[in-house]
Amino acid sequence: MKQLSPDFLSAAKDILGPKGWSENPEDLEKVASPWRGTYKGETPFLAKPETTEQTAALVKLCNQHSVAITPQGGNTGLVDAGTPHGEICISMQRMTAIRSVDAVNNSLVIEAGAPLVTAQQAADEAKRLFPLSLGSEGTATIGGLISTNAGGVAVLRYGMMRDLILGLEVVLPSGEIWNGLSGLRKNNTGYDLKHLFAGAEGTLGIITAATLKLFPKVQRVSAWVTCKSAEDVVALLALVRDHAGDTVTSFEIIPANAIAMVQADVPDTRDPLPSDLPWRVLMEVSMSRAAHAREVIEEALGAAYEAELVKDAVIAESVAQAESFWHIRETIPLSKRAYGTALNQDISVPVSRIPDFIDSCNAAILELIPKSEFVIFGHVGDGNLHYSVCEPADASEHVLAGQQSAVFRIIYDQVMAFDGSISAEHGVGRLKRDELERIRPKAATETMRAIKRAIDPNNIMNPQRVIST
Amino acid sequence: MKQLSPDFLSAAKDILGPKGWSENPEDLEKVASPWRGTYKGETPFLAKPETTEQTAALVKLCNQHSVAITPQGGNTGLVDAGTPHGEICISMQRMTAIRSVDAVNNSLVIEAGAPLVTAQQAADEAKRLFPLSLGSEGTATIGGLISTNAGGVAVLRYGMMRDLILGLEVVLPSGEIWNGLSGLRKNNTGYDLKHLFAGAEGTLGIITAATLKLFPKVQRVSAWVTCKSAEDVVALLALVRDHAGDTVTSFEIIPANAIAMVQADVPDTRDPLPSDLPWRVLMEVSMSRAAHAREVIEEALGAAYEAELVKDAVIAESVAQAESFWHIRETIPLSKRAYGTALNQDISVPVSRIPDFIDSCNAAILELIPKSEFVIFGHVGDGNLHYSVCEPADASEHVLAGQQSAVFRIIYDQVMAFDGSISAEHGVGRLKRDELERIRPKAATETMRAIKRAIDPNNIMNPQRVIST
C-alpha cells in the first residue's frame, strides 16, 4: 500500500476537520470489507467530508499529490467497485441531507450519502413516489445507486436509476465542482453529462448530490401464479401487458427450488400456492385506482388460464398478503447463501430469448458438472436473470468451488451467444473488467478509455475499475 | 469553402458508388437550405451512403484527409446543427430500412435515415406503440431525432428520444463502427455510450442505426379545457396527476391568441370552447382501457371544476374530435409564421415556476417594447414553453426584428433567473453555442470539450456545433 506523505495527510486533515477523517484500523478495516465477504481491500486513510466544498478541496489535493481515491456509498456493491485497494477511501456517510423537495415539479434534491429509504420516505411525505426499490434499500446510498446505475424490481415500469435522475452535482477529478442539479425535464444544452457519471462507478468523479424524479402515487395489486415452463412465463408477460399496458410494474420469475430454500431458511414463510410446477411468477400492476388495477389483472389472469399459460393464481387481498409474496422474493439471495456454494451471475438477454437461453446454458453446465442445480430468478420483464449454479444439498463431493472459472466461462459464452450482457445491473468494478474488455466491442472500450483519460488525466479517480488504464 | 482534393473526391466516389454522391448544384443547395429559411449553408459534396460500411469507409477517408463532415437527417432542425457550412454533407436519406422487429422483446432495429413515421407504423403493425410524436414526424429522421434528443407531445409519460432507445450503431470519427445495437433493457457494462451520442448533434460520430423501445398500445382520451391563469394551469396538472397518475400522456398549454391565429390561417378549424379566458389546456390520458381513462379524466375534471381551476371542459367523444383538438395544437407553429415577425425561443423552467416566469419575462420585454404580444404554448407538463414575442397585426411600426438580440438577452436572463434552460428540446447547434458557453457552468463546458477532443481529435465531425473547439 502506497505511503501517504505527511504533507498530504496534514493538508487533508485540515480540509476535513477533526470529525472528517479516520486512521483507526477498525474504521479502515470496515470500509475495506464489503458485506458479501468474497473479496477484501485495504486503505491507509478514510475521509468523511461533510460538504461538497470539503470533498472538492480534498480531491484537488489528491490530484496535486497523485493520491488515488475510491469513493464509497453504502458498501453494498457486488463487483468490487466501491472497496478501496490501497486508495484512500472517501465515504459519503456524513452527506445525507435532503436539500429541497418540490412536489409541484415532482423533484427532490438529496445528498449522495443518504440511503435509498430516505428518498423513498421524503417522496412519500410529499405525497409522491420515488419508485426505485431493491433489497438493500436501507443501506445502499443515492450516490452509489447512481454510480452503479442500480436496477431493482420496478425497472419494467420506471426504468433504472439513471432514468430517475434529473440532475447531478459532481466533484470532478480536477477538484472542480460541476453543479448540474437541474430540476428540468428537458434541457438540451450539450452532451448529457449526468448520463456519463451515472454508471461510471466513481471513475470519472464523485457524485455529491442528485435531483431525483418523483412520480404520482399508485395503488398496487400483486399476484402470484404457477407456470409449467419458461416459455409460458415469457408468453404470460406479453399477455399481461396486452391487458395492463405499461402499468405492469414488476414481473419476477421464481423457481420452485428457491421457494424450498427460503422455506427451509426462514421459518415463517409459506408457499402461497404449493405446486409441482417448476416456476412461479410474482407480478405487480399499479395504477392510480386499485379497482382498475385489480380489474385488469383479474382479466389478464383469466385469459392466461384459458390459454393454459398459468395453472393456479392468487391475487393478494391485502397489503400484508402482498408483502408476504414479496418477502419470499426478496429473501432468495440471502437464503441462497445459507444453502452452500453457489456461483452467481447477473445477466440479461432479450426477453424473447430467455427460455432458449436457460435451456442452452443449463445444458452446457450439466455437461461439465452433471449434478449441478440451478437457481434462476429475477426480473424477467427486463430480460434480467440472477443465474446461480449450486450443488445438491446432499452432494458427497464438493466440486463446484474449484470449477468457478470454467462455469463462468460457459455462462459468459452462452450469454454472448444470445446477444446478452454479462452484467445486467450489478456493474463492472474490478471483478468483470477484464472479461468485459475481452468481449466488449473494441471500439467501445477504446472510446471509454479515451473518455476516462480526458476527464481524469492523472488517473486518480477509482483507478482500474470499469476499464484498465 | 475549402477545395476538396481530386484524390479525396475520387476515393470518396469509389466508396459510395454512382448513386451514392452528388455534386449537382441543385442537390447541394437543397441540403444546405433548412426548411425554416432563417439561415443558409453551403457544401461542396453530398454523400448518400447506402450502408454502414460505406459510411465508415467514407468517414475514415475524411479523417485521413482532414475533411470535415456534417451528418444530416431530415433537415428539420431549428438550431443550425445539421446544415453544412463548408463541410461535406453525409445524408442518411438512403439508409431507411427496418432491420428487425421483436414484439416479445418490445424492440425494433431501424436505420438512421428512416423518418419517424416509419418507426411508428412498424410498431403499430407489431401491435405495439412507439410513442415519440411531433409535428415533423413525416420528415424528421430517427438519426436526427436521436442526435438532437427530440421531445414532442408525449414526453410527460414516455420521456424524450434518448429514453426511447435501447442501443445504437455509430460510425466514430476514426471510421470505426461501434455496434451497440443492444436490445437489452439492462446492460451495466461500462460508460453508457448511447447517452453520449444521443443529443451530441453529430459532433461525436454518425448514428447509422438504432434499437428502439416499443410499448404496449394504449387507448387515448383527450380533453380541452379553459383556464383563467397560468397558476390554475399548473395546479390543474397536479390535480389531474393525482387522479390519473402517470397515465397523463400530454398536458399542453395553448393561449387564446394562438387559437385566433390558427382560425384566421386555417379556415376549417373551430375553437372547441370559445371563451374570453386567456388559456386552454389540451390534455391526454392513455390507458389500456378507454373506459378507465375516461373515468379518471371525468373525475379529475369534476374535481377541477369544483376547485374552480377550470371554467369549461370538453372530453373528445370520438377519435375525429380528439384529432380536431390536436390539429389546433399542431398548427400553431406554422400559423405563427403567417402572422408576421416573431422572435421564438424554446425554453424550460421547473414546472412549479412557470406562472412566475411568464409574468416576469413578459413584463421585462414590455418595458423594452411596450406593444409586444406573446404567444406562449407548449408542454407545460415538462416545464417546456415555446415562447414567442410578436408584434400586433396592425402595428404601424415594425420594431421587433431590429430588437432580436435585446429580446433574446432578456429571455435568456429571465430563464436563468428561474433555474431554467435556454434550449429545452431544440438543441444547441451553431445558433445557441456561444450563448450557452456564456451561461453554462465552466466545469461542464470544459468537460464537454475534453470529451469532444478525446473522441474526435482531428475535429472533423460536425465541427463548431454544440461547443467551440
Side-chain angles (χ1 to χ4, degrees):
Chain A
M1 200 155 50
K2 187 178 162 178
Q3 193 79 26
L4 297 170
S5 74
D7 279 2
F8 169 83
L9 281 170
S10 142
K13 290 171 186 175
D14 277 355
I15 289 166
L16 294 162
K19 289 184 186 164
W21 58 272
S22 175
E23 289 177 310
N24 178 325
E26 271 177 44
D27 293 340
L28 300 181
E29 164 90 11
K30 195 173 163 210
V31 295
S33 309
W35 71 275
R36 198 183 254 186
T38 49
Y39 51 85
K40 201 162 173 328
E42 57 176 352
T43 184
F45 186 75
L46 168 62
K48 300 180 284 182
E50 200 180 7
T51 64
T52 303
E53 290 67 29
Q54 277 183 357
T55 311
L58 180 63
V59 170
K60 191 172 182 183
L61 182 75
C62 289
N63 197 34
Q64 283 160 353
H65 288 256
S66 294
V67 170
I69 297 161
T70 294
Q72 190 173 90
N75 205 7
T76 58
L78 296 170
V79 292
D80 201 2
T83 302
H85 288 268
E87 300 87 358
I88 73 161
C89 181
I90 301 189
S91 166
M92 291 287 109
Q93 62 190 260
R94 290 172 77 212
M95 291 186 59
T96 59
I98 292 175
R99 292 195 190 160
S100 63
V101 180
D102 183 343
V104 175
N105 192 54
N106 284 288
S107 61
L108 69 80
V109 181
I110 188 167
E111 289 183 343
L116 172 53
V117 70
T118 302
Q120 292 168 337
Q121 286 168 355
D124 193 61
E125 281 164 25
K127 299 194 168 57
R128 296 290 182 272
L129 170 72
F130 184 68
L132 196 83
S133 174
L134 39 73
S136 58
E137 59 200 25
T139 314
T141 63
I142 295 299
L145 293 161
I146 297 170
S147 291
T148 57
N149 187 30
V153 294
V155 172
L156 184 59
R157 174 157 184 184
Y158 294 103
M160 296 184 76
M161 190 67 180
R162 69 165 67 254
D163 303 308
L164 303 176
I165 55 176
L166 293 170
L168 293 180
E169 179 186 81
V170 178
V171 173
L172 302 174
S174 61
E176 281 179 290
I177 299 167
W178 169 51
N179 183 339
L181 285 175
S182 168
L184 303 173
R185 276 172 171 68
K186 285 182 166 176
N187 187 20
N188 275 344
T189 53
Y191 307 152
D192 197 323
L193 299 180
K194 71 175 179 294
H195 277 299
L196 194 57
F197 295 111
E201 303 180 8
T203 61
L204 300 176
I206 304 181
I207 294 169
T208 49
T211 308
L212 304 182
K213 268 186 211 173
L214 305 182
F215 291 79
K217 285 207 175 210
V218 285
Q219 305 287 321
R220 296 166 172 187
V221 177
S222 293
W224 178 283
V225 308
T226 59
C227 292
K228 67 180 179 298
S229 68
E231 286 81 359
D232 284 1
V233 170
V234 169
L236 177 63
L237 170 65
L239 184 149
V240 173
R241 294 191 98 196
D242 281 346
H243 283 81
D246 55 7
T247 64
V248 185
T249 308
S250 304
F251 196 92
E252 300 281 309
I253 192 170
I254 300 170
N257 60 355
I259 297 178
M261 274 179 357
V262 170
Q263 285 192 298
D265 189 47
V266 187
D268 61 341
T269 47
R270 200 175 63 81
D271 185 349
L273 281 176
S275 158
D276 293 337
L277 296 183
W279 300 104
R280 279 81 176 132
V281 169
L282 173 54
M283 69 183 81
E284 182 184 288
V285 170
S286 58
M287 298 173 76
S288 49
R289 296 179 172 203
H292 288 169
R294 182 167 288 272
E295 199 180 324
V296 294
I297 211 168
E298 279 173 0
E299 201 177 271
L301 291 180
Y305 187 79
E306 288 290 307
E308 298 185 14
L309 293 176
V310 305
K311 177 81 165 44
D312 288 301
V314 53
I315 299 175
E317 292 295 331
S318 65
V319 172
Q321 194 179 8
E323 279 173 1
S324 74
F325 295 173
W326 280 100
H327 182 62
I328 296 173
R329 164 65 186 84
E330 296 293 2
T331 311
I332 296 174
L334 286 172
S335 294
K336 187 153 51 68
R337 285 178 85 190
Y339 187 77
T341 303
L343 302 179
N344 306 306
Q345 288 289 332
D346 161 53
I347 63 94
S348 67
V349 294
V351 176
S352 49
R353 307 191 73 180
I354 286 175
D356 288 346
F357 166 78
I358 292 176
D359 286 348
S360 173
C361 195
N362 289 7
I365 289 169
L366 285 169
E367 265 188 43
L368 178 72
I369 308 175
K371 288 197 172 167
S372 298
E373 292 184 3
F374 304 95
V375 180
I376 301 167
F377 66 102
H379 323 295
V380 87
D382 314 315
N384 178 195
L385 300 175
H386 301 304
Y387 184 99
S388 296
V389 184
C390 307
E391 276 175 316
D394 58 355
S396 51
E397 285 185 297
H398 296 286
V399 299
L400 201 54
Q403 297 276 11
Q404 173 168 317
S405 304
V407 168
F408 285 176
R409 175 84 277 123
I410 291 171
I411 297 174
Y412 295 158
D413 289 343
Q414 289 283 328
V415 167
M416 296 318 290
F418 284 87
D419 297 327
S421 168
I422 69 162
S423 187
E425 58 179 15
H426 292 171
V428 183
R430 289 160 51 108
L431 288 189
K432 291 193 176 169
R433 186 197 63 197
D434 293 341
E435 183 62 28
L436 278 164
E437 290 190 7
R438 203 180 65 83
I439 61 184
R440 195 196 282 126
K442 190 168 153 286
T445 299
E446 287 307 317
T447 303
M448 291 178 197
R449 190 170 283 130
I451 292 167
K452 168 72 174 171
R453 286 185 180 149
I455 295 181
D456 182 19
N458 296 331
N459 198 21
I460 62 159
M461 202 54 85
N462 218 13
Q464 307 309 331
R465 280 74 169 177
V466 184
I467 47 168
S468 62
T469 47
Chain B
M1 201 155 52
K2 186 177 160 179
Q3 194 77 28
L4 298 170
S5 73
D7 278 2
F8 170 82
L9 280 172
S10 141
K13 291 171 186 174
D14 276 355
I15 289 167
L16 293 162
K19 289 184 184 164
W21 57 273
S22 174
E23 290 176 311
N24 177 326
E26 271 178 44
D27 293 339
L28 301 181
E29 165 90 11
K30 194 172 164 214
V31 295
S33 309
W35 72 274
R36 198 184 252 186
T38 49
Y39 51 83
K40 201 163 174 326
E42 57 176 352
T43 185
F45 186 75
L46 168 63
K48 300 180 284 182
E50 200 179 7
T51 65
T52 302
E53 289 69 27
Q54 277 183 356
T55 310
L58 179 63
V59 170
K60 191 171 183 182
L61 181 75
C62 288
N63 197 33
Q64 284 160 351
H65 288 256
S66 294
V67 170
I69 297 162
T70 294
Q72 190 174 90
N75 206 5
T76 58
L78 296 170
V79 292
D80 201 1
T83 303
H85 288 268
E87 300 87 357
I88 73 160
C89 181
I90 301 188
S91 166
M92 290 288 109
Q93 61 189 262
R94 289 171 76 211
M95 290 185 60
T96 59
I98 292 175
R99 293 195 190 160
S100 63
V101 180
D102 183 343
V104 175
N105 192 53
N106 284 288
S107 61
L108 69 82
V109 181
I110 189 167
E111 290 184 343
L116 173 52
V117 70
T118 302
Q120 293 168 336
Q121 286 167 355
D124 193 62
E125 281 164 25
K127 299 195 169 53
R128 296 290 181 272
L129 170 71
F130 184 68
L132 196 85
S133 174
L134 38 73
S136 58
E137 60 199 27
T139 314
T141 64
I142 294 299
L145 292 160
I146 297 170
S147 292
T148 57
N149 186 30
V153 295
V155 172
L156 183 57
R157 175 156 183 184
Y158 294 103
M160 297 185 74
M161 189 66 180
R162 70 166 65 254
D163 304 308
L164 303 175
I165 56 176
L166 293 170
L168 292 180
E169 179 187 79
V170 178
V171 173
L172 302 173
S174 60
E176 280 179 291
I177 299 167
W178 170 50
N179 183 340
L181 285 175
S182 168
L184 302 172
R185 276 170 171 68
K186 285 182 165 176
N187 187 19
N188 275 346
T189 53
Y191 307 153
D192 197 322
L193 299 180
K194 70 175 180 294
H195 277 299
L196 194 57
F197 295 111
E201 303 180 7
T203 61
L204 300 176
I206 304 180
I207 294 169
T208 48
T211 307
L212 304 183
K213 268 187 212 173
L214 304 183
F215 291 78
K217 286 208 174 210
V218 284
Q219 305 287 323
R220 298 168 170 185
V221 176
S222 294
W224 178 283
V225 309
T226 59
C227 292
K228 66 180 180 300
S229 69
E231 285 81 0
D232 285 0
V233 170
V234 169
L236 178 64
L237 170 65
L239 184 148
V240 172
R241 294 191 98 196
D242 281 346
H243 283 80
D246 56 4
T247 64
V248 185
T249 309
S250 304
F251 197 92
E252 301 285 299
I253 192 171
I254 300 171
N257 59 357
I259 296 177
M261 274 176 1
V262 170
Q263 286 192 297
D265 190 48
V266 187
D268 60 344
T269 47
R270 199 175 64 82
D271 185 350
L273 282 176
S275 158
D276 292 336
L277 296 183
W279 299 105
R280 278 80 175 135
V281 170
L282 174 54
M283 70 184 81
E284 183 183 287
V285 169
S286 58
M287 297 174 76
S288 49
R289 295 181 172 201
H292 288 170
R294 181 167 289 271
E295 199 179 324
V296 293
I297 211 167
E298 278 173 359
E299 201 176 89
L301 292 180
Y305 187 78
E306 289 289 307
E308 297 186 14
L309 293 176
V310 304
K311 178 80 165 48
D312 289 300
V314 54
I315 299 174
E317 293 294 331
S318 65
V319 172
Q321 193 180 8
E323 280 175 1
S324 74
F325 296 172
W326 280 100
H327 182 62
I328 295 173
R329 165 64 186 85
E330 296 293 3
T331 311
I332 296 174
L334 286 172
S335 294
K336 188 154 50 69
R337 286 179 84 188
Y339 187 76
T341 302
L343 301 180
N344 306 306
Q345 288 290 334
D346 161 54
I347 64 93
S348 67
V349 293
V351 174
S352 50
R353 307 191 74 178
I354 286 176
D356 289 345
F357 167 78
I358 292 175
D359 286 350
S360 174
C361 196
N362 289 7
I365 288 169
L366 286 169
E367 265 188 45
L368 179 72
I369 307 174
K371 289 197 170 167
S372 297
E373 293 185 1
F374 304 94
V375 180
I376 301 167
F377 65 102
H379 322 294
V380 88
D382 314 314
N384 178 196
L385 300 174
H386 301 305
Y387 184 100
S388 296
V389 184
C390 307
E391 275 174 319
D394 58 355
S396 51
E397 285 185 296
H398 296 287
V399 299
L400 200 56
Q403 298 276 12
Q404 173 168 319
S405 303
V407 168
F408 284 176
R409 174 85 277 123
I410 291 171
I411 297 174
Y412 294 157
D413 289 345
Q414 289 282 328
V415 166
M416 296 317 290
F418 284 87
D419 296 328
S421 168
I422 69 163
S423 186
E425 59 178 15
H426 293 171
V428 183
R430 289 160 52 107
L431 289 188
K432 290 192 175 169
R433 186 197 63 196
D434 293 342
E435 183 62 28
L436 278 164
E437 290 190 8
R438 202 181 66 82
I439 62 183
R440 193 196 284 125
K442 189 168 153 288
T445 299
E446 287 306 316
T447 303
M448 291 179 197
R449 189 170 284 130
I451 292 167
K452 167 71 174 173
R453 286 184 180 151
I455 295 181
D456 181 19
N458 296 331
N459 199 21
I460 62 160
M461 203 54 86
N462 219 13
Q464 306 309 331
R465 279 75 170 178
V466 183
I467 46 168
S468 61
T469 47

